[in-house]
Structures are given as C-alpha cells and as structure tokens.
Amino acid sequence: MLIRKSIKSTEPKDRWRNRFKEQCIDRIKQERQQKVNESRERHWLNLVLKEVWEQFILENEAAMKREGVCDIDEMIESDEIDIALEAFLLEEETIILNTLSSYEESLQIIVCINCQKDRLNPSLYNGVPVIACNQCGFYTTEKGYLTIIEGKNGHDINCTGYIQYSLEPGTDHSIMSVCDECDDWSIYSMF
C-alpha cells in the first residue's frame, strides 16, 4: 500500500494560524476589558458618593432631625445619583449585549473547509443558492456543506491528514474529497 504524504506540511501553517488567532483573541479581550474599566471609572465616583450619602444618612438622620433639618434630601440631589447609576447600568448592559451579539455572530460564521482562510458567504451559482469562498473558489449548498462536515468529522476520528475538496471532474454538483495522508476519498452531492 502506497501512502502519500503532502510535500507541503499544513502543521506549520496551522500552528502559525492558531498563534495569530490566539493573539487576536487576547488583544480583543484586553481592549474589551479596557473599555469596561474606563466605563467603570467614569461612574465610580458617583457610586462612591451614593454609598457615602446612604451611610451618612443612616448614621446621622436622627441627629439631623433633632436639630431641625427636616428635608435631608435637599442637601444633595439623590436624583442625580440615581440617574448616574441608571446610566452606568445601561452602559454595562449595552456592553454585555454587544459582546454577546458579537459572540453569537462569530458562531454563525462558516469557515471554508477547503482552504480554511476565509468564510463561506451566501452566493448564487447557476441560479442555485450556495455558500462560496472568495479565497479559493470553493462552493456548495448548505445541505451539501452539512454532509461534507459529517464526513470530515468521521474521517478526523481516524486520521489527522488534510482533506482537499474539488468538483468531481465532469460535474458541477458533486464534490470530491481526498485526504493527503490516508488516501481516503469520498464524493458528496451538493443537493
């Protein structure tokens, strides 16, 4: 049995791609944390003032009433503190919602299984809706993509080789996959 091995190893590419991906993720986390910290610092003073005011009232309310200060709330506008607190909470909620929506969007991105360098975008091929890669030209229907992913996951259990995908010669609706390590091949229908 002849075992073919790719001349170009994909392991260094994957290692560098993963390293870049980790650096991007770390940078995004740092930037996000910095924005959250800046937001918190802006509202920190108001929160401290509110806590000090509430503690002050607890400790001195009875003595102030004995001395004739009836309307304690006039001393400081508690409404301003409440508005600042609400603004802070709204901003925090907005940050969290934006983070969650970005995360959900990232889950919906389908990376090209052929070149793994670009995302698959909705497109049309001969009037048929497909998802296509702008980088390598790979395209398939969503149903075909799910079938290919199923086959890839089954293959990956037993082999760590790189699978190359292309149209089956002479057709425009069948995709052929070939592994560079175990010589496994399969044909998938796009429909």
Side-chain angles (χ1 to χ4, degrees), residues 48-94:
V48 169
L49 285 174
K50 184 176 181 176
E51 288 176 11
V52 169
W53 177 246
E54 289 172 355
Q55 185 65 33
F56 178 81
I57 289 175
L58 284 175
E59 294 173 357
N60 300 306
E61 186 175 23
M64 290 170 66
K65 284 186 179 181
R66 277 190 304 247
E67 292 180 13
V69 179
C70 296
D71 195 2
I72 299 170
D73 291 333
E74 282 183 6
M75 291 179 61
I76 189 169
E77 294 294 324
S78 62
D79 287 343
E80 290 178 16
I81 294 173
D82 290 341
I83 290 170
L85 178 62
E86 284 180 32
F88 172 73
L89 292 175
L90 279 173
E91 191 170 338
E92 285 289 309
E93 182 180 4
T94 303

Side-chain angles (χ1 to χ4, degrees), residues 69-148:
V69 179
C70 296
D71 195 2
I72 299 170
D73 291 333
E74 282 183 6
M75 291 179 61
I76 189 169
E77 294 294 324
S78 62
D79 287 343
E80 290 178 16
I81 294 173
D82 290 341
I83 290 170
L85 178 62
E86 284 180 32
F88 172 73
L89 292 175
L90 279 173
E91 191 170 338
E92 285 289 309
E93 182 180 4
T94 303
I95 290 170
I96 290 170
L97 289 175
N98 288 340
T99 303
L100 285 174
S101 68
S102 296
Y103 175 71
E104 288 171 355
E105 285 176 18
S106 72
L107 292 177
Q108 306 229 345
I109 293 175
I110 301 173
V111 176
C112 178
I113 57 174
N114 189 40
C115 69
Q116 297 177 355
K117 294 180 182 176
D118 201 1
R119 59 190 285 177
L120 294 176
N121 299 305
S123 185
L124 283 175
Y125 180 76
N126 291 338
V128 177
V130 295
I131 47 178
C133 176
N134 295 331
Q135 186 77 22
C136 70
F138 175 83
Y139 67 92
T140 184
T141 60
E142 287 189 35
K143 181 180 177 187
Y145 178 79
L146 294 174
T147 306
I148 292 169

Side-chain angles (χ1 to χ4, degrees), residues 167-184:
L167 282 176
E168 182 184 15
T171 71
D172 62 352
H173 65 278
S174 295
I175 296 176
M176 187 168 74
S177 68
V178 179
C179 176
D180 68 349
E181 197 166 303
C182 69
D183 289 335
D184 182 34

Side-chain angles (χ1 to χ4, degrees), residues 5-76:
K5 192 152 187 145
S6 175
I7 295 173
K8 295 180 182 177
S9 176
T10 59
E11 291 177 2
K13 287 181 188 177
D14 290 342
R15 186 178 65 234
W16 286 108
R17 184 180 299 122
N18 289 338
R19 187 173 176 185
F20 176 72
K21 190 187 282 185
E22 288 172 6
Q23 283 181 334
C24 287
I25 289 170
D26 289 342
R27 178 68 187 269
I28 290 169
K29 285 180 183 176
Q30 288 172 354
E31 291 293 322
R32 188 178 297 134
Q33 188 60 45
Q34 183 178 356
K35 294 258 186 220
V36 168
N37 289 342
E38 288 172 3
S39 171
R40 287 180 179 157
E41 287 172 6
R42 273 183 271 154
H43 300 290
W44 176 75
L45 181 59
N46 289 333
L47 292 174
V48 169
L49 285 174
K50 184 176 181 176
E51 288 176 11
V52 169
W53 177 246
E54 289 172 355
Q55 185 65 33
F56 178 81
I57 289 175
L58 284 175
E59 294 173 357
N60 300 306
E61 186 175 23
M64 290 170 66
K65 284 186 179 181
R66 277 190 304 247
E67 292 180 13
V69 179
C70 296
D71 195 2
I72 299 170
D73 291 333
E74 282 183 6
M75 291 179 61
I76 189 169

Side-chain angles (χ1 to χ4, degrees), residues 147-165:
T147 306
I148 292 169
I149 289 296
E150 239 177 71
K152 181 182 181 327
N153 290 341
H155 171 267
D156 289 351
I157 292 172
N158 300 317
C159 179
T160 59
Y162 177 74
I163 300 176
Q164 184 70 34
Y165 298 91

